[in-house]
Amino acid sequence: MTDPHVATVHAPHPTGARTAVAAAPPRWTVAAVAELFALPFPDLVYRAQTVHREHHAPDAIQLSTLVSIKTGGCPEDCGYCPQAARYHTGVESQAMLDVAEVTAAARAAKAAGATRFCMGAAWRGPKARDLAAVVEMVQAVKALGLEACATLGMLKEGQAEALRDAGLDYYNHNLDTAPEFYGEIIGTRDYEDRLATLDRVRDAGLHVCCGGIVGMGESRLQRAALVAQLANLDPYPESVPINHLVQVEGTPLHAKLGGESALDPFEFVRTVAVARITMPKARVRLSAGRRELGEAIQALCFVAGANSIFYGDRLLTTGNPDVDADRALLARLGLSAQA
Ligand code: SAM
Ligand code: DTB
Ligand code: SF4
């Protein structure tokens, strides 16, 4: 079959030629990723679904439940985030949950059908005392037989190893956006800081969960540049959360975008499809913004290769579809929760 659109788009090293001596891994150029974005929608989705079927059961969706173990009061200035202390969003700084509260939340998540439990904290990074508390939480979550994930901000030397030794499976740390757009969104940590934390996570032997946010006013080329950054991590992340910006009043991005989505929803589906094609084995997670995207767009995302969701009535501080609504949606689409 010859398809002119497909024929023009390929990974930068399509022959995959490797020598016995350390060959550089295939790298995605931004231009090659942008070509994927530019495909006619059916061609792009078809390609993504084809790649998806080569590596995953097409009807299995993994369910991850989030809990905010430390909400609000964050010193950072991420322009999208309701938890930054400097913005007036109505999110108050709260004390850290204790181990018993986290264990109860994890038990409830498991009973509802989640297989991964992700603990998020509104920190620039964990202090030694914070990390000791998280270590206990990770141990408690693992004792329930769940996969454990944490997202605590930037890690210092030795912290990833301590989390690994506690049994942590995944560490989430997002690149968030393209390097060229990043400075418009975040000033208190730079791209290199994020890459350094990702290196620490990888070097400790933890699985990497790393993705970004779309709908922040970035261009398509910048979305392509974000995906290229993710796909060129060596190896690429095992989990890739694709968030649609949830605009929260009081944040700079809400002031800039006025509560209106900056993105055509089909462009969100394209982003999912391109993530699937460039990171074939990853779990691509349909993350923040599902409530706003609606069920039809979510269904398209599943066709485009998304195979994981955040599952639970809340994300960290904002809403998520109810568990019952998600169960009903999966059933209507003939999809099952990954065992
Ligand atoms: N404080 C830690 C950090 O930033 O590294 C961990 C938690 S932070 C809330 C995790 C991620 O949530 C951010 O990197 C961002 O990608 C996502 N996020 C935060 N607010 C969001 C929003 N309003 N819409 C979409 N995604 C958001
Ligand atoms: C990720 O990529 N998205 C999640 C999780 N990792 C930690 C967080 C989404 C947060 C949405 C805004 C909120 O609820 O505060
Ligand atoms: Fe703090 Fe994380 Fe929110 Fe940035 S995204 S302000 S680091 S909680």
Side-chain angles (χ1 to χ4, degrees):
M1 187 185 74
T2 53
D3 178 333
H5 301 295
V6 173
T8 55
V9 177
H10 48 68
H13 298 292
T15 60
R18 282 172 190 272
T19 59
V21 219
R27 294 190 62 82
W28 284 91
T29 62
V30 176
V33 179
E35 279 187 62
L36 289 174
F37 266 97
L39 284 171
F41 190 80
D43 291 348
L44 175 59
V45 172
Y46 175 73
R47 277 197 61 173
Q49 174 67 196
T50 306
V51 170
H52 188 59
R53 278 165 191 265
E54 282 165 17
H55 299 279
H56 304 272
D59 60 349
I61 303 291
Q62 187 244 3
L63 307 178
S64 286
T65 294
L66 269 175
V67 68
S68 181
I69 60 167
K70 165 65 184 88
T71 303
C74 184
E76 301 288 275
D77 71 349
C78 311
Y80 46 75
C81 188
Q83 303 200 69
R86 65 190 73 200
Y87 310 138
H88 302 287
T89 63
V91 174
E92 300 299 328
S93 181
Q94 293 170 22
M96 196 185 338
L97 299 187
D98 62 31
V99 182
E101 290 169 305
V102 174
T103 310
R107 199 171 278 126
K110 185 175 179 182
T115 56
R116 192 179 299 173
F117 189 71
C118 179
M119 293 162 272
W123 293 324
R124 174 172 167 80
K127 300 188 173 70
R129 196 181 58 211
D130 301 328
L131 199 77
V134 176
V135 158
E136 279 188 53
M137 294 172 190
V138 170
Q139 289 164 339
V141 170
K142 290 303 291 176
L144 296 173
L146 286 160
E147 287 184 320
C149 178
T151 182
L152 316 171
M154 294 186 282
L155 296 181
K156 294 191 216 38
E157 212 181 318
Q159 292 188 319
E161 286 77 4
L163 291 166
R164 174 202 64 204
D165 292 346
L168 192 76
D169 298 288
Y170 288 80
Y171 194 80
N172 166 248
H173 198 63
N174 291 339
L175 288 177
D176 277 348
T177 191
E180 303 74 26
F181 190 62
Y182 184 88
E184 292 187 35
I185 308 294
I186 298 146
T188 48
R189 67 175 71 161
D190 59 31
Y191 220 75
E192 288 302 318
D193 294 326
R194 289 183 187 258
L195 292 169
T197 287
L198 291 169
D199 278 346
R200 292 207 157 114
V201 170
R202 186 57 89 193
D203 289 349
L206 288 165
H207 295 309
V208 172
C209 173
C210 181
I213 312 177
V214 294
M216 298 196 292
E218 74 286 340
S219 66
R220 175 181 271 185
L221 196 62
Q222 289 165 336
R223 282 187 283 284
L226 166 66
V227 174
Q229 282 286 332
L230 296 169
N232 288 334
L233 292 173
D234 183 19
Y236 59 75
E238 283 81 11
S239 252
V240 180
I242 306 291
N243 295 278
H244 189 296
L245 174 67
V246 179
Q247 289 190 39
V248 178
E249 224 174 312
T251 59
L253 278 174
H254 183 275
K256 185 172 163 199
L257 302 169
E260 293 292 315
S261 174
L263 198 71
D264 174 350
F266 297 130
E267 190 68 13
F268 185 83
V269 182
R270 283 181 185 274
T271 309
V272 167
V274 170
R276 166 52 67 224
I277 294 166
T278 56
M279 294 172 274
K281 293 187 178 158
R283 285 246 163 233
V284 175
R285 181 169 308 111
L286 200 46
S287 302
R290 286 199 296 121
R291 231 174 37 174
E292 295 76 5
L293 286 168
E295 295 190 333
I297 294 292
Q298 290 183 64
L300 278 174
C301 289
F302 295 133
V303 177
N307 61 352
S308 172
I309 56 173
F310 281 126
Y311 175 69
D313 299 348
R314 291 190 82 62
L315 290 162
L316 293 173
T317 65
T318 64
N320 198 40
D322 296 346
V323 160
D324 289 346
D326 274 341
R327 285 218 189 99
L329 178 63
L330 295 186
R332 282 162 67 205
L333 298 175
L335 300 172
S336 327
Q338 178 98 36

